[in-house]
Amino acid sequence: MRISFLLLLLSVTFSGYAQKIKKTKGDLAPLKDQTSIHIEFSYEGLSVGKFKSEADYVAKKTEEYNKKEAGKGDKWAESWQSDKSRAYEPQFLEQFLEKSKLKNEKDAKYTLVFHTTFIEPGFNVGAWRKNAYIDATVTIVETANRGNVIAELTVDNAPGRDAMGVDFDTSWRISEAYAKAGKSLSKYIW
């Protein structure tokens, strides 16, 4: 009985989080001989959880936290914004560059724009959890001629969770989703 329960728990925990990367346009062949690439991040039009806009999500969470403790929501909102450059982007870059063996250089021939379109922050309250995940579009353009799109890809359901289950911090879960996306995208392209 315990084994059956454990298998059920594992299937519920991991179901629905299969990351999928798909090329929707263009050709990745020109990238094969490159030693560097420029990487940029975009969050324009981002949806979060059940909210159609990031602004609505941030406003709601800020209000909730400020009701519990004055100023807590404002600090949370600042952290939410700074986590992008402090935690998410570095995790993506570390995994992407390590797996691809490329350097991130502004004067590289091609630029990869990683545009996050959706973030599911998930939660972990000990006995019950929901993994974080992100969706993104990836556009690879010629750096000197941004109108020349080399390829477009989608990244769906890049999962974010700690292997040991101690990912109580939202930032940690989401940064793990960026790490997974970076690693998988690099393997997909190269």
Side-chain angles (χ1 to χ4, degrees):
M1 174 128 167
R2 281 187 160 169
I3 292 174
S4 296
F5 177 74
L6 181 60
L7 290 174
L8 175 65
L9 183 62
L10 287 173
S11 70
V12 169
T13 301
F14 294 112
S15 65
Y17 290 98
Q19 178 176 252
K20 184 177 184 180
I21 297 175
K22 181 180 177 186
K23 182 172 61 85
T24 57
K25 178 181 177 182
D27 183 11
L28 297 170
L31 303 174
K32 299 297 183 193
D33 63 347
Q34 299 301 303
T35 58
S36 65
I37 193 163
H38 179 58
I39 301 174
E40 297 177 353
F41 295 89
S42 169
Y43 302 91
E44 187 178 330
L46 175 64
S47 299
V48 181
K50 65 182 180 181
F51 295 87
K52 289 188 184 258
S53 77
E54 178 185 25
D56 291 344
Y57 173 75
V58 170
K60 179 70 172 166
K61 296 297 275 187
T62 302
E63 179 185 343
E64 287 175 1
Y65 285 132
N66 278 338
K67 281 183 181 177
K68 291 179 183 178
E69 179 184 324
K72 184 177 181 180
D74 299 322
K75 288 180 185 174
W76 175 88
E78 288 174 21
S79 291
W80 173 264
Q81 293 304 327
S82 68
D83 283 346
K84 293 171 184 169
S85 61
R86 182 194 62 78
Y88 310 160
E89 295 168 14
Q91 283 284 11
F92 177 91
L93 290 167
E94 179 182 335
Q95 292 300 312
F96 184 87
L97 297 171
E98 179 182 318
K99 302 302 178 218
S100 67
K101 307 287 190 232
L102 294 174
K103 293 178 183 152
N104 185 16
E105 297 177 339
K106 288 190 178 196
D107 62 347
K109 183 173 182 177
Y110 299 107
T111 295
L112 182 151
V113 180
F114 190 86
H115 176 212
T116 307
T117 56
F118 179 78
I119 295 176
E120 170 52 58
F123 60 87
N124 185 346
V125 291
W128 192 251
R129 66 174 295 123
K130 180 177 184 179
N131 293 338
Y133 69 90
I134 62 171
D135 295 339
T137 58
V138 177
T139 307
I140 302 167
V141 298
E142 189 176 340
T143 302
N145 178 10
R146 297 276 180 136
N148 185 14
V149 176
I150 305 304
E152 291 180 355
L153 303 98
T154 57
V155 177
D156 294 319
N157 297 324
R161 67 181 304 268
D162 180 80
M164 302 305 288
V166 292
D167 53 0
F168 300 105
D169 179 63
T170 302
S171 174
W172 178 258
R173 285 190 304 276
I174 297 171
S175 68
E176 286 298 303
Y178 277 86
K180 178 68 173 165
K183 182 178 182 179
S184 298
L185 185 61
S186 177
K187 286 181 180 179
Y188 184 88
I189 295 173
W190 283 273

